[in-house]
Amino acid sequence: VPPPVAPSEPVIRKIAQVLATGEPTVMILGGNALTEAGLAAAWDLAQATGCELRTPTQVPRMARGRGRPAVDRIPYSVDSAVKSLARFRNVILVGATAPVAFFAYPGKPSLVAAPDASYHVLATPAEDAVAGINGVRTSFPDSNNWVRTDLSRKEKAVLTQLFSPEAFGHALASVLPEQAIVVEEAVTSGRELFPPTFEAAPHDWLQITGGSIGHGFPCATGAAVASPDRKVVCLQADGGGMYSLQALWTQARCNLDVVNVVFANRRYKILEGELKAVGAQPGPASGELFDLSRPNLDWVKLAEGMGVEAKRVDDLVAFADVFRAACARKGPFLIELVIT
């Protein structure tokens, strides 16, 4: 496969001109712009020009954690996404596509940037986004001479017992090992995980960029095969996990170093939310379809049946203790985090 081609000089000059206007501008980063080198270059350019940085709602792979720029995702919710991008007059796409809602919702826009925003493509997903960013930086001497300040955020959250996505993010940040690979299919439990984990140990974050349910377990299994020297952490919703449970057997058979965390809310909460988002009112029939109880899924027994040791916890303090112990050993482990 040939290496990606850098954007052309005319494109680079055009983007530099857009940034030089000083208008409110957001750069949406994808592709190799989400590597450590790409994020550092984009951060330098943002510091020199005043533009802001975002990623798409789902990122295929992103370097994150301490010492790396704290770049947040565009929110999943259409209303939140529209609000977060409303003030930007220019949207620069760097290895990313135009920001669109995941589904079409009645009475709501598909494009979530401001209706009067202008779109500018620095690099398509097939092009070398890092080369494009570095090309634009040459038009702004300050971005080449700028001395990077300490990127760490010093605030420390108090670990609480009660689950919320944000509280879980802080708990995860406090125990995540260095250079872990985080595979996230937490769905509704994962919406608020980015800001609390900006200060986690350096890691890579993997998500699916489509809508295939059950991505987490097999993706984590593949990541562990590809990188046997790194701890893999799989954040898996319970409904989605039932689509690909057999990946746990592969983890056991190959002794893969994966800590699986299953968010057991015992319902398809994402489907409940989408039903409401299209204007429908959930009733008894939909409630029955979205229910994962009667009987409750027993993830400890399911994992053990696949040869993976497991433990159930129902608060975040217990989760942190079990997670630390699981990371201190080699091989697969599963934590069922009950959040009902």
Side-chain angles (χ1 to χ4, degrees):
V1 178
V5 177
S8 67
E9 284 300 322
V11 168
I12 288 172
R13 286 196 299 270
K14 178 186 175 184
I15 298 301
Q17 290 168 1
V18 171
L19 290 169
T21 66
E23 294 179 338
T25 299
V26 60
M27 296 180 66
I28 300 178
L29 308 176
N32 69 345
L34 297 178
T35 62
E36 188 164 10
L39 289 165
W43 184 261
D44 287 358
L45 184 58
Q47 294 297 305
T49 63
C51 74
E52 295 193 24
L53 307 176
R54 297 286 190 278
T55 79
T57 303
Q58 279 96 7
V59 294
R61 178 181 177 180
M62 182 177 179
R64 304 186 68 252
R66 286 192 300 271
R68 294 162 172 176
V71 182
D72 205 355
R73 297 177 287 194
I74 297 171
Y76 179 91
S77 158
V78 174
D79 293 338
S80 298
V82 168
K83 183 178 180 181
S84 73
L85 299 178
R87 65 186 186 84
F88 297 113
R89 303 277 66 81
N90 295 298
V91 178
I92 299 176
L93 304 174
V94 190
T97 56
V100 296
F102 199 81
F103 293 112
Y105 301 98
K108 296 186 179 183
S110 290
L111 284 169
V112 296
D116 59 347
S118 298
Y119 290 86
H120 312 273
V121 178
L122 172 56
T124 69
E127 292 179 314
D128 189 340
V130 178
I133 296 168
N134 285 326
V136 175
R137 286 173 66 195
T138 62
S139 297
F140 298 92
D142 287 348
S143 71
N144 295 310
N145 299 325
W146 183 67
V147 177
R148 183 169 295 114
T149 56
D150 182 5
L151 292 175
S152 63
R153 276 68 54 188
K154 300 300 184 183
E155 65 275 7
K156 297 295 182 183
V158 176
L159 186 59
T160 63
Q161 289 185 300
L162 188 63
F163 176 86
S164 71
E166 182 180 7
F168 175 81
H170 287 297
L172 180 66
S174 70
V175 294
L176 192 67
E178 294 273 344
Q179 299 304 323
I181 299 172
V182 179
V183 175
E184 190 244 301
E185 194 196 0
V187 195
T188 53
S189 297
R191 297 274 172 82
E192 306 300 326
L193 294 185
F194 258 39
T197 52
F198 285 147
E199 261 303 278
H203 61 276
D204 285 318
W205 196 282
L206 279 61
Q207 290 180 285
I208 194 168
T209 54
S212 178
I213 295 176
H215 158 264
F217 284 152
C219 183
T221 302
V225 171
S227 300
D229 57 335
R230 300 176 68 180
K231 180 70 73 172
V232 178
V233 176
C234 179
L235 307 179
Q236 176 67 70
D238 56 354
M242 287 300 292
Y243 282 74
S244 52
L245 182 66
Q246 62 270 32
L248 296 177
W249 181 83
T250 304
Q251 292 179 17
R253 184 179 178 87
C254 299
N255 195 35
L256 300 178
D257 200 13
V258 184
V259 178
N260 303 279
V261 181
V262 174
F263 298 92
N265 59 10
R266 295 170 179 160
R267 64 188 190 275
Y268 284 109
K269 190 174 181 180
I270 181 65
L271 299 183
E272 292 178 356
E274 294 299 339
L275 190 64
K276 294 176 183 177
V278 297
Q281 290 299 317
S286 62
E288 183 70 17
L289 289 171
F290 301 156
D291 183 22
L292 289 176
S293 63
R294 303 192 333 272
N296 289 335
L297 297 171
D298 189 330
W299 280 97
V300 172
K301 289 182 178 179
L302 288 169
E304 289 175 344
M306 296 286 175
V308 174
E309 187 179 348
K311 188 172 180 65
R312 180 180 296 112
V313 297
D314 58 9
D315 69 69
L316 293 181
V317 173
F319 160 77
D321 289 340
V322 174
F323 187 90
R324 285 192 192 96
C327 287
R329 42 160 281 178
K330 282 280 190 179
F333 194 90
L334 185 140
I335 302 171
E336 179 182 6
L337 176 56
V338 179
I339 59 174
T340 54

